[in-house]
Amino acid sequence: MPITTFRNIAIIAHVDHGKTTLVDALLRQSGIFRANQQVAERIMDSNTLERERGITILAKNTSVPYGDIKINIVDTPGHSDFGGEVERVLKTVNGVLLLVDAFEGTMPQTRFVLHKALQLNLKPIVVINKIDRVESRVSEVVDEVLELFIDLGASDELIDFPIVYTSAKEGTATTDPAIPGENMLPLFDAIVKYISPPEGNTNGPLQLLVNNTEYDSFIGRMGIGCVKRGSISAGQQVNIIGHDGSLRQGRIGTLYVYEGLERVEVNEAPSGEIVAFSGLEDIRIGETVACKDQPIQLEPITVDEPTLKMTFMVNDSPFAGEEGKHLTSRHLRSRLFKEMEKNVSLRVEETDSPDAFQVCGRGELHLSILIETMRREGYELQVSKPEVIFRWVDDRQMEPIELLMVDVPKDKMGAVMELIGARKGEMVNMTSLGPDQLRMEFKIPARGLLGLRSQLLSETRGHGVMSHLFLGYEHYKGDIKGRYQGVLVAFESGEANLYGLHSVQDRGILFVTPGTKVYEGMVVGENNREQDLNVNVCKKKHLTNIRSSTAEAALRLDEPRKFSLEEALEYIGSDELLEVTPKNLRLRKRILSKHDRQRSLKN
C-alpha cells in the first residue's frame, strides 16, 4: 500500500468536549459496522473505569476507511492528569483534530494539548463541536481559539487553520455553521485534504518508535507504534535501541494493523502504518525498533515531570488480609514497577522501608485511577496524603504552579474568590459566559488544589466547575492552612452501634454507620473543633431495671458522610493514612494507639 494512502491523526481536546463521541460518529459512518449490528455508545472507552466515569484514561488506536485512504485515529484523554498519554501518541501522527466545545470554549487542557501539537509542528484542524447546544457561542469560541494560537506563538501557516463545525452526538458536520450538516463527510474531506501523508521511505532501513505497550494473555507483551521508515514484517530479525542508545536483538512475532475496532494479523506493514507486534517481551515505551543491519535511533519519547507524590505502603491495619488477595510488599512492588513500564508519566522509587514506595504522578486523579485499578485487582494497601514535589534553585524553594479555571454563578463570585485567595490563588482573568455565569482564571500553587474541588462544590451548591493545567515552577508562595477541623478517632476496637454513634454525633459529622467494624486509631468522623477527639462509637447502653420517661424515644442518626476515593485522598491529613481494600476505604491515624500518639506529640 503506497504511503500516500495513509492519514494518521490524533483527536485532542479538554475533558468532556466530545472526542470519543466524535470517534463513534466517524466509525459508524465509515461503513465498518453491519446495518443491523448493535454498537454501544463511546465504543473507544473500553476500560470499565472509563465507562463508569465518562472520561478517557488511556489513548487508543482505531482506523476508518474513506475511499482509497486509510485514516488511523488515536483517541486521547482530555484530563490534564493523563497528559503523558497525549504527549507520547503525538509522535505517531501527522496532524490533529483540535476539538473545542461550542459553549465552554478553550479550556486549560485545550492549551496544553495544542501547545504540544505546535511544538511538533503538527497540522491542526479545528473542530467546533456541540453546535446544536442552545447556549452555543460559535463565533466567540472561534475567536478564542485564534487568540490561543497567537498566544502560543503558532506560525502563520498553522494559524491559517481550517474549521469544521460538528454535532458529534447527531453525527453531522459542516464547514458553514449557518448551513446544517447532514453527515460527517465534510470532516472526512478536511482530514484527507489538510492532513499530510506520513513522510518516510518504504525502501529504507526499518525505524519504528514504540509509543505504547499492551499485554495479551494469549500472546504476551505487545508493542505499538508507527513505522517511520522502511517496512516491518512478521518473523523479522531486528535491533531494539534503548533510551540510552544500547542495542539488543530480537525477533518480531505476530504483526497486526488496526481496521476499525479490530486488530487484523498481517505479514508485512509499510512505512506510515500504525502497527502492533508481539515477540519482544522486554520492549518499553520510547524505544526504537530498527533494522538489524543499519540500526538508527529515533528521538526517544519525553514527557513532563510529575508534580505530586504519595507513599504506597503494605496494609498493616488490624483488618489487614481480610478482603484482598495481594497483600505483601513483593506483590505491591511488582505491580507498581509493572505500571511504570506503560504509564510514562509515573515514577516509582523505593524508600528506606521495604514495605513503602514513593509514587509520583501528574495529579490526584492520575494516582487515584492507579489506586482504584489495583483495588479492583485484589490489592490491599495504604496510601499517604498527596504532596507536591518541590525543587531547589539557587538555594530558593520552588513549587509547581497551576492555571486554574473556575466556572461559577455570578452571585457566588465573592465566596469563590475568598476561598481561592486563602489558598494563595491570584486572579489573572475573568470573563462572562452568559447572564448568570462567570469564568475566573487564577494562578495557584498546586498545594492549593488539594481538597479544593469539594470545598468549591459546597460553596457553589454544586454549580462550580473547575479545571487546571500545570504552568511551571515559581518561588514558594508561603504557607497554606490545611484542614480546619479535627477528626473523631475511635479509641476502642469493635462494632459501631446506634447508641454509641448517637452519643458522639453532636461532636461533629460521622463517617460510619451502625454495624461498621472499627479499630483503635480509625477515623470515624469530623470534629466540630480544630482538635482531634477520641471517641467510643462501640459503647452500648447500660441496661437497668429502672424505667425513664425517655427510654422508649427512638434514637436518630444524621446521614453520614461517604467518601469517594478522590475525596478521601483530599481529606486525610499529614498524620493520617487511607486504607484501601477491594471492599472498603478506611481513614486512620498513622499511629493507631491513643497513648503512642500523645507521646509522639510531646516529643
Side-chain angles (χ1 to χ4, degrees):
M1 185 182 291
I3 196 169
T4 54
T5 58
F6 293 112
R7 298 292 187 275
N8 297 334
I9 61 168
I11 302 182
I12 58 177
H14 186 77
V15 65
D16 203 30
H17 279 200
K19 297 180 301 302
T20 306
T21 308
L22 184 73
V23 175
D24 282 4
L26 293 174
L27 287 168
R28 291 174 194 276
Q29 296 190 26
S30 65
I32 66 168
F33 300 124
R34 301 187 309 274
N36 63 343
Q37 187 171 344
Q38 294 292 320
V39 183
E41 290 185 359
R42 294 186 290 116
I43 312 163
M44 297 294 286
D45 284 348
S46 52
N47 184 300
T48 306
L49 276 174
E50 291 178 322
R51 299 200 70 83
E52 286 179 10
R53 296 173 182 239
I55 60 172
T56 301
I57 296 170
L58 303 171
K60 301 179 193 67
N61 298 76
T62 186
S63 74
V64 296
Y66 184 62
D68 296 330
I69 304 293
K70 180 181 182 181
I71 303 174
N72 285 310
I73 302 173
V74 185
D75 184 20
T76 65
H79 199 286
S80 57
D81 281 18
F82 306 112
E85 293 284 311
V86 179
E87 291 170 80
R88 64 179 173 78
V89 301
L90 288 182
K91 285 205 170 186
T92 67
V93 298
N94 303 99
V96 294
L97 300 186
L98 178 67
L99 205 66
V100 185
D101 189 299
F103 170 70
E104 290 190 350
T106 58
M107 299 290 280
Q109 183 70 355
T110 315
R111 170 181 288 270
F112 171 78
V113 294
L114 178 60
H115 179 57
K116 293 296 179 183
L118 294 178
Q119 283 182 326
L120 295 170
N121 205 35
L122 298 176
K123 177 68 177 178
I125 297 175
V126 173
V127 180
I128 307 297
N129 193 31
K130 304 186 184 181
I131 60 171
D132 54 327
R133 284 185 63 170
V134 178
E135 317 94 334
S136 65
R137 42 190 195 95
V138 175
S139 57
E140 293 96 322
V141 169
V142 171
D143 292 339
E144 287 179 18
V145 174
L146 180 59
E147 287 177 14
L148 182 59
F149 270 81
I150 295 170
D151 192 32
L152 293 175
S155 64
D156 293 342
E157 180 186 355
L158 294 179
I159 284 178
D160 187 23
F161 50 81
I163 305 175
V164 180
Y165 305 89
T166 66
S167 169
K169 188 176 180 181
E170 300 295 328
T172 60
T174 178
T175 54
D176 184 349
I179 302 174
E182 297 179 359
N183 49 43
M184 299 302 291
L185 291 182
L187 182 56
F188 280 116
D189 291 335
I191 292 170
V192 173
K193 180 179 179 181
Y194 295 108
I195 303 299
S196 304
E199 295 179 1
N201 179 9
T202 303
N203 298 319
L206 170 65
Q207 277 185 309
L208 180 148
L209 185 66
V210 179
N211 79 293
N212 199 3
T213 59
E214 290 181 3
Y215 184 82
D216 188 288
S217 55
F218 292 102
I219 58 178
R221 192 171 177 82
M222 300 184 68
I224 300 171
C226 181
V227 183
K228 295 293 186 179
R229 189 174 65 182
S231 60
I232 187 170
S233 56
Q236 181 177 353
Q237 293 288 339
V238 294
N239 265 312
I240 302 105
I241 309 176
H243 295 98
D244 58 356
S246 60
L247 291 177
R248 61 186 191 277
Q249 292 191 344
R251 178 177 176 274
I252 300 296
T254 314
L255 185 67
Y256 301 90
V257 299
Y258 292 90
E259 292 188 5
L261 301 176
E262 304 294 328
R263 278 201 305 247
V264 178
E265 186 176 344
V266 295
N267 291 323
E268 187 178 17
S271 177
E273 179 68 284
I274 295 177
V275 299
F277 55 88
S278 66
L280 307 180
E281 287 297 319
D282 58 349
I283 194 71
R284 292 187 298 165
I285 292 172
E287 294 185 325
T288 302
V289 177
C291 174
K292 182 184 176 184
D293 301 321
Q294 294 177 265
I296 302 172
Q297 185 178 18
L298 290 164
E299 183 182 351
I301 294 172
T302 56
V303 299
D304 291 341
E305 290 297 310
T307 58
L308 210 62
K309 63 182 179 181
M310 294 171 63
T311 304
F312 284 48
M313 290 166 274
V314 172
N315 187 13
D316 62 358
S317 85
F319 295 164
E322 292 185 0
E323 299 170 5
K325 295 185 296 182
H326 309 298
L327 314 171
T328 66
S329 59
R330 180 175 59 84
H331 287 133
L332 186 59
R333 183 187 188 281
S334 175
R335 179 64 179 82
L336 290 174
F337 278 91
K338 182 181 178 182
E339 181 69 22
M340 192 168 61
E341 292 179 2
K342 60 181 181 180
N343 197 333
V344 291
S345 50
L346 193 77
R347 302 284 184 273
V348 180
E349 299 172 5
E350 299 193 61
T351 65
D352 296 336
S353 168
D355 294 337
F357 304 87
Q358 189 176 88
V359 182
C360 306
R362 284 286 186 87
E364 282 178 288
L365 185 62
H366 183 205
L367 294 172
S368 71
I369 291 293
L370 170 60
I371 296 169
E372 181 65 32
T373 303
M374 292 174 65
R375 178 189 184 192
R376 296 185 182 199
E377 292 171 358
Y379 285 83
E380 276 192 22
L381 64 151
Q382 294 178 145
V383 294
S384 68
K385 180 181 178 63
E387 299 175 6
V388 300
I389 299 173
F390 294 105
R391 291 180 182 174
W392 291 88
V393 178
D394 298 329
D395 295 329
R396 295 196 64 177
Q397 190 174 16
M398 310 287 283
E399 67 173 327
I401 302 295
E402 305 258 348
L403 173 67
L404 171 67
M405 200 173 278
V406 185
D407 293 354
V408 296
K410 285 187 177 179
D411 60 335
K412 301 296 182 182
M413 179 183 73
V416 171
M417 288 181 66
E418 184 178 350
L419 173 65
I420 296 175
R423 294 167 172 264
K424 306 296 182 183
E426 302 173 11
M427 182 181 284
V428 294
N429 194 20
M430 182 166 61
T431 54
S432 175
L433 295 179
D436 301 317
Q437 195 82 352
L438 280 177
R439 173 170 295 163
M440 297 186 286
E441 296 179 31
F442 299 87
K443 281 177 65 177
I444 185 172
R447 293 176 295 136
L449 295 176
L450 300 177
L452 176 61
R453 192 179 302 273
S454 56
Q455 281 191 288
L456 178 71
L457 290 172
S458 298
E459 289 286 353
T460 61
R461 298 186 179 273
H463 293 289
V465 178
M466 62 173 271
S467 52
H468 54 91
L469 170 69
F470 173 67
L471 289 178
Y473 276 78
E474 294 184 9
H475 294 304
Y476 185 71
K477 302 295 182 183
D479 294 338
I480 297 175
K481 186 172 175 60
R483 194 175 63 206
Y484 286 86
Q485 278 81 29
V487 290
L488 303 176
V489 186
F491 68 74
E492 183 177 287
S493 298
E495 188 174 291
N497 60 67
L498 179 61
Y499 182 77
L501 290 171
H502 186 267
S503 65
V504 301
Q505 78 168 354
D506 290 340
R507 300 286 190 175
I509 301 170
L510 295 173
F511 298 162
V512 297
T513 56
T516 302
K517 290 183 178 180
V518 300
Y519 51 80
E520 182 184 7
M522 182 171 159
V523 175
V524 295
E526 180 182 277
N527 194 6
N528 289 329
R529 301 179 183 274
E530 290 189 21
Q531 299 81 18
D532 292 345
L533 180 66
N534 295 298
V535 296
N536 185 3
V537 294
C538 304
K539 181 171 64 176
K540 294 183 179 180
K541 187 175 182 180
H542 184 61
L543 298 177
T544 70
N545 59 357
I546 300 173
R547 295 175 64 89
S548 69
S549 59
T550 59
E552 306 302 324
L555 300 181
R556 295 185 179 275
L557 291 179
D558 296 332
E559 186 71 23
R561 182 189 297 179
K562 293 294 183 183
F563 288 103
S564 66
L565 178 57
E566 285 84 9
E567 289 169 343
L569 290 174
E570 289 180 350
Y571 186 82
I572 57 175
S574 56
D575 64 334
E576 295 163 3
L577 298 173
L578 176 64
E579 179 187 353
V580 181
T581 72
K583 296 180 181 178
N584 286 293
L585 299 173
R586 300 185 186 98
L587 284 65
R588 53 158 287 185
K589 289 292 182 180
R590 281 180 183 264
I591 303 173
L592 295 179
S593 168
K594 176 178 71 171
H595 300 296
D596 290 344
R597 285 200 304 275
Q598 291 172 344
R599 195 176 299 119
S600 68
L601 289 174
K602 291 177 183 177
N603 296 335

